[in-house]
Amino acid sequence: MTTILLLGSGPGVTACEGWGRAPFDRIVAINNAWRVRADWDELVHPWDFPAERMPPAPAAGRIVTEAEFVPAQNLYGGFVYAGATMAFTAAYWLLAEYRPRCIGFLGCDMHYPATGPTHFYGTGTPDPLRADITLQSLEAKATRLAILAARQGCVLVNLSDGPSRLTFPRAVPAGLAEARPLPHDPATADRALAREAELGYLVPSGRYWEEAGRFDPAELAALDALWLAAAR
């Protein structure tokens, strides 16, 4: 089964510049992270990613846009439940596309220091910290992702060594073969999924902000609490 390195734009992503290709079968970059390594296989970016920041044509690898990741995201409940930020979106697409054994996250920590660089290229916008109904708890969204990954036999690990909002266990590339999916309580996870279905907050187009008025922040906070409780 596939082992994937998923690269974000946090300052720590440059740690992989000296890593060998093994043990990774694929290297997937989010937004600007294609600049970190020349051997990336896919670049995942949203509709508003600036054209001037794209890799030069012809691209070294496959470009993945909302035409592919929105349907994949919908298989896992949609953006409102998953959390609308690209680290989560790219990971759900990978779960649907490759059904991998392991996804290692690097530079996806969603931690933004008050001083110094916030991204590997300098200072950028802290997108996951924006006021957004889908991102009330980054920790809960990370835990939901890890549990749904575990349900299909996939382990998520954090390869960064700095502060992080991700709830995945820390790991190093040499230890990925021993990593195991997140232990969790199936009954509590089932309750969370059942409540999601009852609320019906799926937006097939992915443009959830156009329907924001029908989403109850308190209900989403209660769901976040359920997902956090499901993790053992």
Side-chain angles (χ1 to χ4, degrees):
M1 294 177 70
T2 307
T3 296
I4 298 171
L5 175 60
L6 181 60
L7 303 178
S9 293
V13 72
T14 56
C16 74
E17 289 176 331
W19 293 357
R21 180 81 183 191
F24 304 106
D25 301 295
R26 307 198 70 78
I27 297 177
V28 179
I30 301 169
N31 295 342
N32 298 285
W34 63 268
R35 295 192 235 163
V36 177
R37 290 183 64 121
D39 59 345
W40 55 273
D41 297 290
E42 280 102 4
L43 165 62
V44 186
H45 71 80
W47 66 272
D48 58 351
F49 187 63
E52 63 272 16
R53 296 187 184 177
M54 290 288 291
R62 173 184 176 192
I63 307 297
V64 178
T65 68
E66 67 273 8
E68 294 168 274
F69 64 65
V70 170
Q73 182 72 91
N74 289 341
L75 295 175
Y76 296 89
F79 288 92
V80 176
Y81 299 139
T85 194
M86 286 306 298
F88 298 147
T89 297
Y92 279 111
W93 174 75
L94 289 170
L95 289 178
E97 182 74 3
Y98 293 112
R99 299 194 69 84
R101 189 199 73 81
C102 177
I103 304 174
F105 290 67
L106 183 66
C108 301
D109 295 298
M110 306 182 212
H111 171 78
Y112 301 89
T115 60
T118 59
H119 295 67
F120 76 91
Y121 51 81
T123 302
T125 301
D127 178 77
L129 303 189
R130 71 190 190 278
D132 189 287
I133 198 169
T134 77
L135 299 171
Q136 295 183 100
S137 170
L138 294 174
E139 291 77 9
K141 300 309 186 191
T143 300
R144 179 187 189 271
L145 171 61
I147 290 174
L148 294 187
R151 287 190 157 206
Q152 63 180 60
C154 179
V155 57
L156 308 185
V157 297
N158 187 356
L159 297 171
S160 299
D161 60 6
S164 182
R165 304 292 296 276
L166 298 178
T167 56
F168 318 145
R170 304 280 182 158
V172 295
L176 295 185
E178 289 74 44
R180 295 294 179 265
L182 179 72
H184 62 279
D185 177 46
T188 305
D190 285 344
R191 285 174 54 207
L193 290 171
R195 185 58 183 149
E196 289 180 356
E198 290 171 359
L199 290 171
Y201 288 173
L202 174 66
V203 181
S205 69
R207 300 176 71 84
Y208 66 93
W209 56 90
E210 295 178 351
E211 304 181 26
R214 71 181 181 91
F215 309 137
D216 185 340
E219 292 286 4
L220 291 174
L223 274 173
D224 285 343
L226 264 181
W227 284 113
L228 289 170
R232 289 177 175 167

